[in-house]
């Protein structure tokens, strides 16, 4: 399940108001993704199918033979042909057109080592083509160090490090690039002990060596070793600096990342992207958006990775207006047709509650990959449009797009939020057999939620017991939530016990159990749980809701006392309460989880954060404008009931996003059908 916990600053203007000052140049956005320098040459990326090599006879000419002093009138034309053919092969391979490169190769009667190495590089970058690459390598009669390094890289790219080690030991000649390839390979496969051994014994190191080992430690989670090496590296290049910034962000040490970022003598686009993404991942979306602004002001052109991070920040902050501004400006750039950017925009629209624009963009996209389809399916699922999600899944299959494990998380979520229990069970039972997708923890969590929400608690418990993997805390947290809905105290205590065994500091475990006790009026048990929380210094996450009005986020907490316009909000709520009661609304005191009198319980319910935010939206937003409210916890049953009445009385569309899904209220009805 997706949970939203953005960091919200009360009444703080969005940092992306600056987007109206985007540079007007249509070439401002970069269409290329910067890559870290490879240890090997040439660096070519291939995706085309490979044709077989021609069996025709040919001659090999060493590259060193092609020198001006050897040119004669009789062979000049042939040398020109060899050189032009080599250039053509390299250009085809760089353009990811290996078939055309091989056609040129097959027609050559004289080939140089460069010719063979270029084709070999193509094979080496093609996953699963090790056998063909080795066959080609064995046919090269005049191999040079590039030939050996390219073949070595082929083993590394296919994660066959044992074969790479054997080949490395047999190489008659090795240069620094050979050692760097091995270090990079071990690092990329999490074999840092082996990488360190090679690093220590290699005869000569360069920047690539240091960058590879430092980046490897960062990726493997050994930040201390990365820091130690970074301190002693003779020359700190932008890659090692960026690796350290990424590492600090990865471990939540934002201040250290900021310090390094400011100290860096030079920054590239990857560095800026690492900082922006780091802020977003550490729930500091506003800081990430502000840094993005600074990046643009410095003349750094964003790429798809940059925009994906910024749009994720907009999603987390529910900043729909700002997300639309980014969409408008990408529309004027070459990145508009980029699949990654388009998919990020779809995800942003879905998470900000605008399914209509998400679907419109989905239809407009010229190229869609499995991630694009997943984003739209998950968007429908999150909004409770289960039938549309499943229909889109069928279209995806008919288009020949093979679903992956994330696709089925979306499909099962769609079934879950729409109450399609039998269909969900069928998909879960057949996804491995029909699609080769082995169930993961996320799939089991969806199934426990599907069964538990439908009241099938015994079946949910049986599924947990039959899991081939150890149940993780989300499984028991989901089961506990279902027990609260259906008031099953015995199973709730079982789920809470196992949840706290997985994580003794789990705040939701204590809070959910206390809520189950509260619903059943077992206030002595509630007191016991809260006392235990106090002893363990476990703090309950306060519930709050927020709404965007004129590019300003207004945050409300339950029983809020600080918002500057609270008096008018309370007045509006009192007015609504009278009208709702006349229309048949009866406060559900079950959701006032405090041991107080009924009158006080009604008052506490009226001042729940989502009601405060909705009232503020009714006051501030013009008629015809949907009211979009976002909450950091699950919407309570009384607020859900009250919002249905409010939507009918005020004749307004109200959209509420909580931690699990969207609720679209209109004319007294909710899109969830009161099933959530």
């Amino acid at each position: 399940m997706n949970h939203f916990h953005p960091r919200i600053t009360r009444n703080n203007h969005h940092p992306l108001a600056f987007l109206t000052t985007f540079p007007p140049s249509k070439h401002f956005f970069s269409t290329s993704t910067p890559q870290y320098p490879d240890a090997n040459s040439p660096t070519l990326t291939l995706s085309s199918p490979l044709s077989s090599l021609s069996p025709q006879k040919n001659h090999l000419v060493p590259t060193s033979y092609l020198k001006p002093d050897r040119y004669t009138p009789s062979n000049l034309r042939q040398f020109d042909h060899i050189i032009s053919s080599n250039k053509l092969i390299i250009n085809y391979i760089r353009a990811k057109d290996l078939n055309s490169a091989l056609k040129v190769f097959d027609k050559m009667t004289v080939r140089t080592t460069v010719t063979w190495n270029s084709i070999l590089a193509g094979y080496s970058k093609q996953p699963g083509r090790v056998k063909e690459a080795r066959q080609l390598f064995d046919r090269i009669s005049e191999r040079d160090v590039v030939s050996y390094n390219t073949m070595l890289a082929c083993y590394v790219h296919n994660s066959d490090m044992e074969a790479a080690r054997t080949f490395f030991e047999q190489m008659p000649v090795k240069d620094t690039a050979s050692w760097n390839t091995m270090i990079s390979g071990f690092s990329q496969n999490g074999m840092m002990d082996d990488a360190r051994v090679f690093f220590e014994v290699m005869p000569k190191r360069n920047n690539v060596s240091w960058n590879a080992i430092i980046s490897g430690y960062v990726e493997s989670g050994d930040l201390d070793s990365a820091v130690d090496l970074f301190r002693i590296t003779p020359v700190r290049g932008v890659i090692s600096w960026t690796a350290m910034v990424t590492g600090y962000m990865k471990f939540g040490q934002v201040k250290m990342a900021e310090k390094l970022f400011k100290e860096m003598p030079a920054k590239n686009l990857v560095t800026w992207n690492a900082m922006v993404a780091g802020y977003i991942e550490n729930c500091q979306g506003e800081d990430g958006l502000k840094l993005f602004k600074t990046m643009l002001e410095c003349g750094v052109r964003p790429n798809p990775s940059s925009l994906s991070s910024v749009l994720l920040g907009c999603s987390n902050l529910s900043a729909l207006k700002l997300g639309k501004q980014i969409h408008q400006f990408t529309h004027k750039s070459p990145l508009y047709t980029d699949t990654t950017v388009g998919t990020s925009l779809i995800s942003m629209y879905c998470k900000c509650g605008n399914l209509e624009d998400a679907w419109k963009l989905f239809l407009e996209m010229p190229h869609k990959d499995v991630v694009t389809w997943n984003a739209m399916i998950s968007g429908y699922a999150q909004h409770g449009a289960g039938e549309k999600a499943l229909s889109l899944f069928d279209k995806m299959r008919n288009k020949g797009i093979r679903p992956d494990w994330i696709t089925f998380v979306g499909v099962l979520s769609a079934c879950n939020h729409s109450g399609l229990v039998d269909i969900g069970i069928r998909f879960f039972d057949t996804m491995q057999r029909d699609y080769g997708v082995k169930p993961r923890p996320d799939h089991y969590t969806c199934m426990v939620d599907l069964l538990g929400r439908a009241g099938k608690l015994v079946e949910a418990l049986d599924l947990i017991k039959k899991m081939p993997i150890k149940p993780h805390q989300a499984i028991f947290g989901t089961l506990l939530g279902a027990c609260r809905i259906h008031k099953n105290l015995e199973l709730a205590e079982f789920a809470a016990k196992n949840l706290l065994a997985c994580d003794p500091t789990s705040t939701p475990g204590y809070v959910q159990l206390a809520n189950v006790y509260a619903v059943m009026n077992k206030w002595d048990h509630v007191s016991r749980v809260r006392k235990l929380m106090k002893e363990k210094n476990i703090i309950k996450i306060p519930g709050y809701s927020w709404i965007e009005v004129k590019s300003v986020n207004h945050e409300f907490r339950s029983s809020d006392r600080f918002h500057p316009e609270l008096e008018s909000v309370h007045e509006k709520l009192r007015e609504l309460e009278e009208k709702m009661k006349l229309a048949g609304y009866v406060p559900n005191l079950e959701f006032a989880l405090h041991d107080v009198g009924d009158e006080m319980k009604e008052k506490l319910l009226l001042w729940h954060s989502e009601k405060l935010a909705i009232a503020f939206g009714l006051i501030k937003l013009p008629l015809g404008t949907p009211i979009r409210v976002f909450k950091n916890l699950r919407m309570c049953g009384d607020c859900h009931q009250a919002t249905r009445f409010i939507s009918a009385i005020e004749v307004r569309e109200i959209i509420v996003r909580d931690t699990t899904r969207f609720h679209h209220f209109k004319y007294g009805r909710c899109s969830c059908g009161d099933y959530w």
Side-chain angles (χ1 to χ4, degrees):
M1 304 299 292
N2 292 323
H3 298 276
F4 305 94
H5 299 292
R7 175 177 175 267
I8 302 299
T9 303
R10 183 189 303 274
N11 298 343
N12 191 24
H13 285 276
H14 280 305
L16 277 190
F18 65 84
L19 279 175
T20 55
T21 63
F22 252 41
S25 170
K26 66 179 180 179
H27 299 299
F28 182 74
F29 290 89
S30 170
T31 56
S32 63
T33 302
Q35 301 291 332
Y36 287 53
D38 195 354
N40 310 289
S41 177
T43 54
L44 304 168
T45 302
L46 306 174
S47 60
S48 305
L50 305 181
S51 63
S52 61
L53 295 174
S54 171
Q56 69 185 66
K57 295 181 180 180
N58 60 81
H59 303 281
L60 183 139
V61 178
T63 305
S64 60
Y65 188 73
L66 299 178
K67 295 181 180 180
D69 60 355
R70 295 183 182 268
Y71 289 177
T72 65
S74 61
N75 63 20
L76 182 60
R77 282 192 300 274
Q78 188 164 18
F79 285 162
D80 286 342
H81 176 71
I82 294 171
I83 293 171
S84 61
S85 296
N86 284 347
K87 288 181 179 179
L88 193 57
I89 286 173
I90 292 173
N91 287 336
Y92 276 132
I93 292 176
R94 285 176 176 167
K96 302 181 180 181
D97 187 0
L98 186 59
N99 285 337
S100 296
L102 286 169
K103 288 178 181 178
V104 176
F105 181 86
D106 288 343
K107 292 178 181 178
M108 295 176 67
T109 55
V110 178
R111 299 163 181 163
T112 67
T113 306
V114 170
T115 316
W116 290 89
N117 288 347
S118 298
I119 297 295
L120 180 62
Y123 279 100
S124 76
K125 291 285 187 175
Q126 192 82 23
R129 297 287 186 172
V130 179
K131 184 177 180 180
E132 291 94 331
R134 185 56 192 257
Q135 288 174 349
L136 177 67
F137 173 81
D138 290 339
R139 294 178 58 191
I140 304 175
S141 57
E142 295 287 342
R143 302 175 193 129
D144 59 11
V145 69
V146 176
S147 311
Y148 283 97
N149 284 344
T150 305
M151 189 62 229
L152 180 65
C154 183
Y155 289 118
V156 169
H157 292 155
N158 285 273
S159 299
D160 191 348
M161 291 310 300
E162 287 309 311
R165 189 198 302 267
T166 301
F167 185 81
F168 178 85
E169 291 171 352
Q170 295 172 351
M171 286 172 60
V173 58
K174 305 179 183 72
D175 61 7
T176 305
S178 314
W179 291 87
N180 288 343
T181 299
M182 291 300 294
I183 294 170
S184 297
F186 285 129
S187 298
Q188 291 163 10
N189 287 277
M191 303 165 68
M192 291 312 300
D193 289 341
D194 294 288
R196 189 59 179 263
V197 169
F198 270 69
F199 179 79
E200 295 293 348
V201 301
M202 68 185 297
K204 183 179 180 181
R205 302 169 188 149
N206 59 14
N207 279 350
V208 177
S209 318
W210 289 91
N211 292 338
I213 194 74
I214 291 172
S215 299
Y217 277 123
V218 168
E219 288 300 314
S220 67
D222 189 352
L223 186 59
D224 291 338
S225 294
V227 171
D228 291 340
L229 285 172
F230 182 71
R231 286 173 179 164
I232 63 173
T233 181
V235 180
R236 294 177 180 177
V238 66
I239 296 176
S240 58
W241 281 93
T242 302
M244 292 309 303
V245 167
T246 302
Y248 281 124
M249 282 296 193
K250 182 178 179 180
F251 284 86
Q253 298 184 34
V254 178
K255 293 298 181 184
M256 284 300 298
E258 290 173 337
K259 181 176 180 295
L260 251 64
F261 184 76
K262 290 176 182 177
E263 293 175 354
M264 287 182 66
K267 305 175 181 70
N268 61 15
L269 178 57
V270 180
T271 314
W272 288 93
N273 286 350
M275 280 298 294
V276 172
Y279 277 130
I280 305 300
E281 291 165 3
N282 283 281
C283 301
Q284 294 182 211
E286 292 182 14
D287 292 323
L289 300 183
K290 288 176 182 176
L291 186 65
F292 181 70
K293 170 191 173 183
T294 304
M295 175 181 121
L296 300 182
E297 291 172 344
C298 291
V300 180
R301 297 179 180 182
N303 67 357
S305 179
S306 317
L307 295 179
S308 294
S309 294
V310 171
L311 288 168
L312 179 58
C314 292
S315 301
N316 291 347
L317 292 171
S318 311
L320 177 60
K321 184 176 180 180
L322 304 178
K324 284 185 174 181
Q325 288 180 347
I326 293 177
H327 186 185
Q328 290 169 0
F329 287 100
T330 56
H331 201 288
K332 303 172 185 177
S333 80
L335 290 179
Y336 182 66
T337 57
D338 184 88
T339 303
T340 300
V341 173
T343 302
S344 297
L345 283 165
I346 288 173
S347 182
M348 181 276 298
Y349 278 122
C350 289
K351 291 178 180 178
C352 288
N354 193 333
L355 267 182
E356 184 178 340
D357 283 348
W359 177 242
K360 182 180 178 182
L361 179 59
F362 180 84
L363 293 176
E364 291 175 354
M365 285 182 62
H367 304 289
K368 306 177 185 72
D369 58 15
V370 65
V371 183
T372 311
W373 288 88
N374 288 349
M376 199 65 235
I377 291 172
S378 297
Y380 276 134
Q382 195 177 29
H383 285 261
E387 292 183 0
K388 289 184 177 180
L390 297 182
S391 174
L392 191 61
F393 175 70
D394 287 337
K395 291 179 181 177
M396 175 184 176
R397 291 185 301 175
N398 293 337
K399 290 281 187 180
I401 306 295
R402 187 169 183 81
D404 60 13
W405 72 273
I406 297 176
T407 312
F408 282 99
V409 172
V411 167
L412 294 176
S413 295
C415 296
N416 179 18
H417 291 310
S418 300
L420 305 174
V421 180
D422 292 339
I423 295 176
I425 292 173
R426 186 164 68 249
F427 272 120
F428 181 79
D429 289 341
T430 61
M431 68 181 190
Q432 184 169 2
R433 182 192 69 202
D434 295 346
Y435 302 97
V437 177
K438 187 177 180 180
R440 299 192 182 196
D442 286 350
H443 299 122
Y444 281 102
T445 302
C446 286
M447 287 303 298
V448 170
D449 201 16
L450 175 77
L451 295 169
R453 199 181 299 270
K456 299 178 178 293
L457 297 176
V458 174
E459 289 89 337
L461 183 60
D462 287 342
L463 179 64
I464 294 173
K465 291 179 178 179
K466 294 176 182 177
M467 286 177 61
I469 55 177
K470 183 180 179 181
H472 58 304
Q473 64 184 72
I475 290 284
F476 294 112
T478 301
L479 180 63
L480 182 55
C483 292
R484 177 189 172 185
I485 294 172
H486 298 288
K487 301 177 184 178
N488 188 318
L489 182 58
E490 181 180 358
L491 195 52
E493 290 177 333
F494 166 82
K497 179 181 178 181
N498 282 276
L499 174 57
L500 296 175
C502 293
D503 181 9
T505 63
S506 171
T507 300
Y510 291 99
V511 172
Q512 286 273 44
L513 182 59
N515 290 344
V516 173
Y517 287 138
V519 167
M520 304 187 73
N521 291 317
K522 293 183 175 292
W523 297 108
D524 56 332
H525 289 65
V526 173
S527 298
R528 194 181 310 146
V529 173
R530 289 175 177 168
K531 182 181 179 182
L532 190 60
M533 289 176 65
K534 189 174 182 180
E535 291 174 355
K536 294 181 175 291
N537 198 29
I538 296 172
I539 301 173
K540 177 184 177 182
I541 300 172
Y544 59 86
S545 301
W546 65 98
I547 183 171
E548 181 182 3
V549 177
K550 294 181 179 179
S551 297
V552 178
N553 266 356
H554 293 264
E555 178 192 313
F556 296 89
R557 295 180 183 271
S558 294
S559 301
D560 199 301
R561 299 178 183 179
F562 300 105
H563 195 278
E565 299 189 52
L566 202 57
E567 186 176 339
S568 61
V569 171
H570 282 172
E571 183 180 345
K572 181 67 177 178
L573 278 177
R574 285 192 289 268
E575 172 194 323
L576 286 171
E577 184 182 33
E578 291 180 11
K579 293 180 180 179
M580 286 192 297
K581 286 184 175 179
L582 288 174
Y585 164 73
V586 177
N588 191 337
L589 303 184
E590 177 183 303
F591 293 94
L593 304 175
H594 297 275
D595 190 12
V596 294
D598 288 355
E599 185 177 344
M600 178 56 70
K601 285 185 177 182
E602 284 194 31
K603 189 175 181 180
L604 291 172
L605 287 174
L606 188 63
W607 288 354
H608 271 193
S609 65
E610 50 265 67
K611 292 192 182 83
L612 296 171
I614 290 170
F616 184 75
L618 291 170
I619 296 169
K620 294 295 183 180
L621 296 176
L623 288 173
T625 303
I627 295 170
R628 303 176 193 275
V629 172
F630 304 86
K631 185 171 182 180
N632 71 324
L633 301 175
R634 186 178 187 272
M635 191 179 193
C636 87
D638 181 72
C639 286
H640 189 274
Q641 178 189 204
T643 306
R644 284 199 292 105
F645 277 96
I646 294 171
S647 70
I649 293 167
E650 295 288 321
V651 194
R652 299 291 290 269
E653 180 181 4
I654 303 171
I655 302 170
V656 180
R657 184 188 82 181
D658 64 12
T659 53
T660 59
R661 61 166 296 154
F662 278 89
H663 298 267
H664 293 252
F665 298 92
K666 202 171 185 178
Y667 305 124
R669 297 177 180 272
C670 179
S671 59
C672 74
D674 298 336
Y675 182 89
W676 88 102

